[in-house]
Amino acid sequence: MYKNILPGLLFAVLWATGAIAAKFGIRSADALMLASLRFLITGIVFAPYFLLHKKHRFIPYRNEWKSIVIYGMLNTTLTLGSFFAAQKYASAGISMLFTAVTPLLIALLSSIFLKRKLSRFEIVGMLVAFSGLLLAALSALPTATITVTGIILLAVYMTAYALSSMYISVTRVSLHNMVFNVWQVFIGGLILLPFCWLFKASHVRHFDVNLLLSLTWLIIMLSFVANLLWLYLIKKDAVSAASWLYLVPVLGYLYGYWLLGEAVTLYAVLGGIMVIVGLVISKRKTQDVLEPDM
């Protein structure tokens, strides 16, 4: 893992900025509309490259559309859509805690639906991490850093995240991963559009520099650079790549404090430590972790 310190560290540094970029973006647009714009523009920007670059087939076969739509709905519409919507009701640091616990939820649901046996380390790790999550989230309610709505949205985020990971783990398509990703992000953005109007979150209040910078960062630095780094790490060693995800909640708290002036309470610190400890314990049993686009 040590030879991949720089790309791994850079991945964690970038991935943890997802909640921060969303926080800045919702100053100019409703959260769901911001998310939908990001996904649609990502598809529009990168589609011409794959159309012109003949190395990888771009047009899916008829039997591949089902996988694209299902994964796009789970991974993009529900997972990232609910995450963006939650930024109105939760601090960036708390949001990143939910992100950190998601791999453990994936392991739990996999044991139930895919009959994957959990080790004692994974079981203990999940209990410690979820306890830390509850401590940080519930203690934050009085200071309004997270609300009940925020908890519900982030719970939807975690559940859809886990389901999408299980789905893609048993689904095989012949499309190249990067092409499949462009399609599922775009389709997920299309599915998310009606929810923008349904939840009255379809407004772009200001077409300003803030909106432009937020979308640029989300599209280029996360959807492109961070995902390329993730692909590089995962091809080298999936287990080592997953270990960099442990830095994400810690960096999320630091970014929230540094860039947004969010308070860091003692309970939040203790909860964060418990989440990290739980993740480290669960890591005693090696496992592959799938991560959706941010």
mmCIF file of all heavy atoms in Angstrom, residues 263-290:
data_model
loop_
_atom_site.group_PDB
_atom_site.id
_atom_site.type_symbol
_atom_site.label_atom_id
_atom_site.label_comp_id
_atom_site.label_asym_id
_atom_site.label_seq_id
_atom_site.Cartn_x
_atom_site.Cartn_y
_atom_site.Cartn_z
ATOM 1 N N ALA A 263 -19.189 23.732 13.804
ATOM 2 C CA ALA A 263 -18.682 23.389 15.126
ATOM 3 C C ALA A 263 -18.367 21.899 15.204
ATOM 4 O O ALA A 263 -19.064 21.073 14.624
ATOM 5 C CB ALA A 263 -19.706 23.759 16.196
ATOM 6 N N VAL A 264 -17.313 21.580 15.919
ATOM 7 C CA VAL A 264 -16.944 20.189 16.165
ATOM 8 C C VAL A 264 -17.090 19.931 17.654
ATOM 9 O O VAL A 264 -16.287 20.405 18.454
ATOM 10 C CB VAL A 264 -15.498 19.900 15.711
ATOM 11 C CG1 VAL A 264 -15.133 18.448 16.006
ATOM 12 C CG2 VAL A 264 -15.340 20.190 14.225
ATOM 13 N N THR A 265 -18.132 19.194 18.039
ATOM 14 C CA THR A 265 -18.400 18.935 19.448
ATOM 15 C C THR A 265 -17.603 17.729 19.934
ATOM 16 O O THR A 265 -17.083 16.929 19.135
ATOM 17 C CB THR A 265 -19.893 18.660 19.682
ATOM 18 O OG1 THR A 265 -20.238 17.436 19.019
ATOM 19 C CG2 THR A 265 -20.749 19.792 19.117
ATOM 20 N N LEU A 266 -17.524 17.607 21.249
ATOM 21 C CA LEU A 266 -16.825 16.466 21.844
ATOM 22 C C LEU A 266 -17.493 15.157 21.438
ATOM 23 O O LEU A 266 -16.824 14.168 21.131
ATOM 24 C CB LEU A 266 -16.815 16.605 23.370
ATOM 25 C CG LEU A 266 -16.198 15.430 24.144
ATOM 26 C CD1 LEU A 266 -14.740 15.238 23.760
ATOM 27 C CD2 LEU A 266 -16.334 15.658 25.649
ATOM 28 N N TYR A 267 -18.847 15.153 21.410
ATOM 29 C CA TYR A 267 -19.564 13.947 21.020
ATOM 30 C C TYR A 267 -19.280 13.581 19.568
ATOM 31 O O TYR A 267 -19.198 12.399 19.212
ATOM 32 C CB TYR A 267 -21.068 14.137 21.216
ATOM 33 C CG TYR A 267 -21.482 14.195 22.661
ATOM 34 C CD1 TYR A 267 -21.924 15.391 23.229
ATOM 35 C CD2 TYR A 267 -21.423 13.064 23.462
ATOM 36 C CE1 TYR A 267 -22.303 15.452 24.565
ATOM 37 C CE2 TYR A 267 -21.795 13.109 24.802
ATOM 38 C CZ TYR A 267 -22.236 14.312 25.344
ATOM 39 O OH TYR A 267 -22.613 14.365 26.656
ATOM 40 N N ALA A 268 -19.174 14.594 18.723
ATOM 41 C CA ALA A 268 -18.872 14.343 17.314
ATOM 42 C C ALA A 268 -17.483 13.727 17.167
ATOM 43 O O ALA A 268 -17.274 12.807 16.367
ATOM 44 C CB ALA A 268 -18.970 15.633 16.515
ATOM 45 N N VAL A 269 -16.531 14.248 17.952
ATOM 46 C CA VAL A 269 -15.166 13.712 17.910
ATOM 47 C C VAL A 269 -15.148 12.261 18.396
ATOM 48 O O VAL A 269 -14.559 11.381 17.762
ATOM 49 C CB VAL A 269 -14.218 14.570 18.771
ATOM 50 C CG1 VAL A 269 -12.839 13.904 18.863
ATOM 51 C CG2 VAL A 269 -14.080 15.966 18.175
ATOM 52 N N LEU A 270 -15.825 12.006 19.532
ATOM 53 C CA LEU A 270 -15.874 10.648 20.069
ATOM 54 C C LEU A 270 -16.582 9.703 19.111
ATOM 55 O O LEU A 270 -16.149 8.567 18.888
ATOM 56 C CB LEU A 270 -16.583 10.657 21.423
ATOM 57 C CG LEU A 270 -15.848 11.361 22.575
ATOM 58 C CD1 LEU A 270 -16.719 11.370 23.828
ATOM 59 C CD2 LEU A 270 -14.516 10.684 22.855
ATOM 60 N N GLY A 271 -17.692 10.190 18.524
ATOM 61 C CA GLY A 271 -18.414 9.371 17.553
ATOM 62 C C GLY A 271 -17.562 9.063 16.342
ATOM 63 O O GLY A 271 -17.562 7.939 15.835
ATOM 64 N N GLY A 272 -16.831 10.060 15.877
ATOM 65 C CA GLY A 272 -15.950 9.861 14.730
ATOM 66 C C GLY A 272 -14.856 8.851 15.025
ATOM 67 O O GLY A 272 -14.535 7.994 14.190
ATOM 68 N N ILE A 273 -14.295 8.933 16.226
ATOM 69 C CA ILE A 273 -13.258 7.983 16.628
ATOM 70 C C ILE A 273 -13.826 6.564 16.672
ATOM 71 O O ILE A 273 -13.192 5.604 16.215
ATOM 72 C CB ILE A 273 -12.673 8.372 17.996
ATOM 73 C CG1 ILE A 273 -11.885 9.680 17.878
ATOM 74 C CG2 ILE A 273 -11.770 7.259 18.534
ATOM 75 C CD1 ILE A 273 -11.396 10.226 19.206
ATOM 76 N N MET A 274 -15.053 6.444 17.205
ATOM 77 C CA MET A 274 -15.683 5.123 17.277
ATOM 78 C C MET A 274 -15.938 4.546 15.893
ATOM 79 O O MET A 274 -15.772 3.338 15.670
ATOM 80 C CB MET A 274 -16.991 5.214 18.069
ATOM 81 C CG MET A 274 -16.810 5.447 19.554
ATOM 82 S SD MET A 274 -18.389 5.628 20.427
ATOM 83 C CE MET A 274 -19.070 3.975 20.234
ATOM 84 N N VAL A 275 -16.357 5.403 14.956
ATOM 85 C CA VAL A 275 -16.576 4.935 13.580
ATOM 86 C C VAL A 275 -15.274 4.422 12.981
ATOM 87 O O VAL A 275 -15.227 3.337 12.385
ATOM 88 C CB VAL A 275 -17.161 6.065 12.708
ATOM 89 C CG1 VAL A 275 -17.139 5.674 11.232
ATOM 90 C CG2 VAL A 275 -18.591 6.367 13.135
ATOM 91 N N ILE A 276 -14.207 5.191 13.139
ATOM 92 C CA ILE A 276 -12.911 4.791 12.584
ATOM 93 C C ILE A 276 -12.424 3.501 13.238
ATOM 94 O O ILE A 276 -11.937 2.585 12.562
ATOM 95 C CB ILE A 276 -11.872 5.913 12.773
ATOM 96 C CG1 ILE A 276 -12.324 7.179 12.039
ATOM 97 C CG2 ILE A 276 -10.514 5.456 12.249
ATOM 98 C CD1 ILE A 276 -12.531 6.999 10.560
ATOM 99 N N VAL A 277 -12.554 3.416 14.572
ATOM 100 C CA VAL A 277 -12.139 2.205 15.280
ATOM 101 C C VAL A 277 -12.928 1.005 14.789
ATOM 102 O O VAL A 277 -12.380 -0.079 14.538
ATOM 103 C CB VAL A 277 -12.314 2.374 16.809
ATOM 104 C CG1 VAL A 277 -12.125 1.036 17.522
ATOM 105 C CG2 VAL A 277 -11.321 3.393 17.347
ATOM 106 N N GLY A 278 -14.261 1.191 14.632
ATOM 107 C CA GLY A 278 -15.096 0.108 14.134
ATOM 108 C C GLY A 278 -14.691 -0.339 12.745
ATOM 109 O O GLY A 278 -14.646 -1.542 12.435
ATOM 110 N N LEU A 279 -14.373 0.613 11.884
ATOM 111 C CA LEU A 279 -13.946 0.283 10.528
ATOM 112 C C LEU A 279 -12.615 -0.464 10.534
ATOM 113 O O LEU A 279 -12.410 -1.409 9.779
ATOM 114 C CB LEU A 279 -13.828 1.562 9.702
ATOM 115 C CG LEU A 279 -15.158 2.213 9.306
ATOM 116 C CD1 LEU A 279 -14.928 3.614 8.770
ATOM 117 C CD2 LEU A 279 -15.895 1.373 8.284
ATOM 118 N N VAL A 280 -11.695 -0.027 11.393
ATOM 119 C CA VAL A 280 -10.389 -0.689 11.476
ATOM 120 C C VAL A 280 -10.550 -2.120 11.987
ATOM 121 O O VAL A 280 -9.912 -3.052 11.477
ATOM 122 C CB VAL A 280 -9.443 0.106 12.400
ATOM 123 C CG1 VAL A 280 -8.164 -0.689 12.657
ATOM 124 C CG2 VAL A 280 -9.096 1.450 11.777
ATOM 125 N N ILE A 281 -11.416 -2.306 12.979
ATOM 126 C CA ILE A 281 -11.667 -3.653 13.501
ATOM 127 C C ILE A 281 -12.236 -4.545 12.403
ATOM 128 O O ILE A 281 -11.794 -5.679 12.203
ATOM 129 C CB ILE A 281 -12.643 -3.604 14.700
ATOM 130 C CG1 ILE A 281 -11.984 -2.925 15.896
ATOM 131 C CG2 ILE A 281 -13.085 -5.021 15.088
ATOM 132 C CD1 ILE A 281 -12.920 -2.697 17.063
ATOM 133 N N SER A 282 -13.219 -4.017 11.683
ATOM 134 C CA SER A 282 -13.849 -4.815 10.634
ATOM 135 C C SER A 282 -12.878 -5.141 9.510
ATOM 136 O O SER A 282 -13.025 -6.136 8.809
ATOM 137 C CB SER A 282 -15.052 -4.080 10.053
ATOM 138 O OG SER A 282 -14.649 -2.948 9.306
ATOM 139 N N LYS A 283 -11.854 -4.316 9.356
ATOM 140 C CA LYS A 283 -10.862 -4.510 8.293
ATOM 141 C C LYS A 283 -9.987 -5.732 8.565
ATOM 142 O O LYS A 283 -9.276 -6.189 7.674
ATOM 143 C CB LYS A 283 -9.996 -3.259 8.191
ATOM 144 C CG LYS A 283 -9.107 -3.188 6.968
ATOM 145 C CD LYS A 283 -9.931 -2.958 5.723
ATOM 146 C CE LYS A 283 -9.065 -2.438 4.599
ATOM 147 N NZ LYS A 283 -7.907 -3.242 4.282
ATOM 148 N N ARG A 284 -10.064 -6.261 9.772
ATOM 149 C CA ARG A 284 -9.289 -7.462 10.082
ATOM 150 C C ARG A 284 -9.686 -8.614 9.171
ATOM 151 O O ARG A 284 -8.938 -9.536 8.966
ATOM 152 C CB ARG A 284 -9.508 -7.872 11.546
ATOM 153 C CG ARG A 284 -8.987 -6.886 12.561
ATOM 154 C CD ARG A 284 -7.473 -6.885 12.592
ATOM 155 N NE ARG A 284 -6.954 -8.159 13.026
ATOM 156 C CZ ARG A 284 -6.799 -8.535 14.303
ATOM 157 N NH1 ARG A 284 -7.159 -7.704 15.282
ATOM 158 N NH2 ARG A 284 -6.300 -9.710 14.613
ATOM 159 N N LYS A 285 -10.904 -8.535 8.647
ATOM 160 C CA LYS A 285 -11.356 -9.500 7.653
ATOM 161 C C LYS A 285 -11.359 -8.811 6.319
ATOM 162 O O LYS A 285 -12.127 -7.887 6.082
ATOM 163 C CB LYS A 285 -12.771 -9.999 7.975
ATOM 164 C CG LYS A 285 -13.366 -10.922 6.915
ATOM 165 C CD LYS A 285 -12.644 -12.243 6.855
ATOM 166 C CE LYS A 285 -13.320 -13.186 5.857
ATOM 167 N NZ LYS A 285 -12.624 -14.481 5.745
ATOM 168 N N THR A 286 -10.449 -9.189 5.401
ATOM 169 C CA THR A 286 -10.325 -8.499 4.124
ATOM 170 C C THR A 286 -11.591 -8.661 3.310
ATOM 171 O O THR A 286 -12.211 -9.722 3.269
ATOM 172 C CB THR A 286 -9.135 -9.046 3.318
ATOM 173 O OG1 THR A 286 -9.299 -10.448 3.127
ATOM 174 C CG2 THR A 286 -7.839 -8.778 4.069
ATOM 175 N N GLN A 287 -11.949 -7.563 2.617
ATOM 176 C CA GLN A 287 -13.131 -7.583 1.768
ATOM 177 C C GLN A 287 -13.008 -6.494 0.731
ATOM 178 O O GLN A 287 -12.325 -5.505 0.935
ATOM 179 C CB GLN A 287 -14.408 -7.366 2.585
ATOM 180 C CG GLN A 287 -14.425 -6.048 3.343
ATOM 181 C CD GLN A 287 -15.716 -5.853 4.111
ATOM 182 O OE1 GLN A 287 -16.778 -6.097 3.607
ATOM 183 N NE2 GLN A 287 -15.593 -5.416 5.344
ATOM 184 N N ASP A 288 -13.671 -6.681 -0.393
ATOM 185 C CA ASP A 288 -13.720 -5.665 -1.431
ATOM 186 C C ASP A 288 -14.836 -4.698 -1.127
ATOM 187 O O ASP A 288 -15.887 -5.080 -0.658
ATOM 188 C CB ASP A 288 -13.942 -6.299 -2.812
ATOM 189 C CG ASP A 288 -12.702 -7.059 -3.264
ATOM 190 O OD1 ASP A 288 -11.625 -6.856 -2.682
ATOM 191 O OD2 ASP A 288 -12.859 -7.844 -4.192
ATOM 192 N N VAL A 289 -14.612 -3.395 -1.380
ATOM 193 C CA VAL A 289 -15.620 -2.375 -1.153
ATOM 194 C C VAL A 289 -15.869 -1.641 -2.449
ATOM 195 O O VAL A 289 -14.935 -1.159 -3.073
ATOM 196 C CB VAL A 289 -15.158 -1.369 -0.071
ATOM 197 C CG1 VAL A 289 -16.230 -0.303 0.131
ATOM 198 C CG2 VAL A 289 -14.880 -2.086 1.238
ATOM 199 N N LEU A 290 -17.141 -1.564 -2.886
ATOM 200 C CA LEU A 290 -17.514 -0.821 -4.083
ATOM 201 C C LEU A 290 -17.941 0.574 -3.692
ATOM 202 O O LEU A 290 -18.720 0.769 -2.781
ATOM 203 C CB LEU A 290 -18.667 -1.519 -4.807
ATOM 204 C CG LEU A 290 -18.327 -2.842 -5.488
ATOM 205 C CD1 LEU A 290 -19.598 -3.444 -6.065
ATOM 206 C CD2 LEU A 290 -17.303 -2.672 -6.556
#
